[in-house]
């Protein structure tokens, strides 16, 4: 993607660009994005490079998620959304999918503790009905138990695909039209957004994708219309607070016009 489309990478720029990556300066100037979304890519490659099973990459990736939630909360980010499991991930091997489900069961309990310690509210987006009953119960418990927390909102996309989200939202909207709750003439962009999983959540200001890939992979296609896109080579298990601050520094180099003339 070209820079004019709002996309940029951190590759090959360090020697030619002075980045505003001083955390104190960013926080003092009020330039922390309200909503950061992350496509966490590279767990499998991280494990393969070390001769480890793919599961170990996911284990390390979960640890990084924990740290990133805490880092984001301390930085003053209001919303953090991570792409944890896509609708397409069911196509992976049965062993890998089962390993991911077991990890979710384990980290759901840890996340509850971390969320309450950091005043974090947890919300899940995606179609949860396909999961096992105990996982659905864990998701509901996370949302219900942390609903009163007033700090960062941590949004986890599980069994999520943007096209599926749009399909489900349009289906509900058509049903409401048939039942007379709304008319086609009343449908606006705000109406459509209210039928999405992210209703009442502001669109991301910044999207980060790790591991060097530069595509959206069916993630928040509606919500990312005016987001700044940041791609880095770092594999997700190697992602650190410093990398997050670097991404925010790059975000601050952008002039967000939302279609207006420059």
């Amino acid at each position: 993607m070209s820079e004019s489309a709002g996309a940029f990478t951190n590759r090959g720029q360090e020697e030619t660009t002075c980045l505003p990556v001083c955390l104190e300066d960013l926080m003092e100037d009020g330039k922390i994005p309200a909503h950061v979304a992350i496509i966490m890519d590279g767990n499998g490659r991280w494990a393969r490079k070390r001769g480890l099973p793919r599961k170990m990459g996911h284990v390390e990736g979960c640890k990084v998620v924990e740290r990133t939630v805490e880092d984001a909360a301390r930085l003053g980010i209001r919303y953090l959304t991570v792409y944890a499991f896509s609708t397409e991930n069911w196509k992976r091997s049965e062993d890998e999918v089962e390993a991911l489900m077991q990890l979710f069961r384990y980290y759901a309990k840890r996340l509850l503790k971390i969320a309450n310690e950091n005043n974090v509210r947890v919300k899940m987006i995606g179609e949860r009905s396909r999961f096992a009953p105990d996982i659905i119960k864990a998701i509901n418990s996370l949302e219900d138990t942390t609903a009163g927390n007033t700090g960062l909102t941590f949004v986890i996309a599980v069994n999520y695909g943007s096209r599926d989200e749009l399909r489900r939202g349009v289906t509900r909207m058509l049903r409401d039209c048939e039942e007379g709750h709304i008319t086609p003439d009343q449908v606006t962009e705000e109406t459509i957004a209210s039928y999405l999983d992210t209703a009442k959540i502001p669109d991301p200001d910044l999207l980060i994708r790790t591991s060097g890939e530069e595509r959206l992979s069916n993630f928040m296609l509606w919500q990312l219309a005016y987001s700044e896109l940041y791609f880095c080579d770092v594999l997700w298990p190697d992602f650190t607070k410093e990398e997050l601050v670097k991404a925010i520094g790059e975000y601050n180099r952008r002039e967000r016009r939302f279609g207006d003339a420059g």
Side-chain angles (χ1 to χ4, degrees):
M1 291 186 179
S2 66
E3 185 168 309
S4 61
F8 45 83
T9 73
N10 71 336
R11 284 167 278 176
Q13 294 184 355
E14 288 81 0
E15 295 181 0
T16 59
T17 305
C18 181
L19 300 179
V21 293
C22 175
L23 176 58
E24 290 76 12
D25 289 345
L26 288 175
M27 297 186 72
E28 181 179 346
D29 294 341
K31 295 179 179 178
I32 301 296
H35 186 174
V36 175
I38 305 178
I39 299 176
M40 308 176 295
D41 200 6
N43 290 344
R45 275 168 282 176
W46 183 91
R48 186 167 61 249
K49 285 175 63 176
R50 290 160 177 78
L52 299 171
R54 286 180 61 87
K55 176 183 176 181
M56 295 309 299
H58 297 309
V59 170
E60 289 300 314
C62 287
K63 295 177 183 177
V64 175
V65 170
E66 292 180 14
R67 293 197 299 267
T68 303
V69 170
E70 294 176 334
D71 291 340
R74 291 175 184 137
L75 284 169
I77 294 168
R78 298 300 301 167
Y79 295 85
L80 175 70
T81 298
V82 298
Y83 202 6
F85 190 85
S86 75
T87 50
E88 290 77 20
N89 286 156
W90 295 104
K91 300 174 184 177
R92 296 186 178 185
S93 72
E94 184 176 343
D95 288 345
E96 182 172 0
V97 170
E98 179 56 29
L100 288 167
M101 295 301 106
Q102 292 296 348
L103 274 174
F104 188 85
R105 290 180 172 96
Y106 172 72
Y107 277 100
K109 299 175 183 177
R110 287 185 55 82
L111 179 56
L112 181 58
K113 178 175 182 292
I114 292 169
N116 285 327
E117 288 176 349
N118 291 275
N119 193 29
V120 169
R121 180 169 69 104
V122 180
K123 177 176 175 56
M124 301 285 181
I125 61 173
E127 178 50 72
R128 65 188 68 179
S129 64
R130 185 169 177 178
F131 292 115
D134 65 311
I135 292 181
I136 296 174
K137 182 178 179 180
I139 291 173
N140 293 338
S141 177
L142 270 171
E143 291 184 327
D144 294 343
T145 306
T146 64
N149 292 345
T150 57
L152 175 142
T153 296
F154 180 42
V155 184
I156 309 175
V158 289
N159 194 28
Y160 174 88
S162 188
R163 291 181 175 181
D164 180 68
E165 174 191 31
L166 288 164
R167 179 194 62 78
R168 290 185 283 107
V170 169
T171 299
R172 290 194 300 272
M173 186 168 61
L174 289 173
R175 188 175 298 120
D176 282 348
C177 283
E178 291 175 350
E179 295 175 358
H181 301 302
I182 59 172
T183 66
D185 291 341
Q186 293 175 319
V187 175
T188 64
E189 289 188 10
E190 290 73 23
T191 306
I192 296 170
S194 73
Y195 283 89
L196 301 181
D197 296 348
T198 52
K200 299 183 180 180
I201 297 174
D203 292 341
D205 301 293
L206 171 65
L207 169 76
I208 300 169
R209 179 164 188 159
T210 60
S211 88
E213 303 293 345
E214 299 186 10
R215 56 181 177 271
L216 297 181
S217 296
N218 198 20
F219 181 57
M220 301 185 84
L221 302 180
W222 175 276
Q223 298 88 341
L224 292 171
Y226 287 102
S227 305
E228 302 301 328
L229 312 181
Y230 176 85
F231 305 108
C232 62
D233 289 326
V234 176
L235 301 176
W236 176 247
D238 293 325
F239 193 81
T240 62
K241 180 179 180 180
E242 289 70 28
E243 291 293 336
L244 177 59
V245 171
K246 187 186 296 184
I248 295 172
E250 288 276 15
Y251 167 82
N252 276 272
R253 296 179 59 244
R254 305 295 300 180
E255 180 182 353
R256 305 185 73 197
R257 303 191 185 98
F258 299 96
D260 290 343

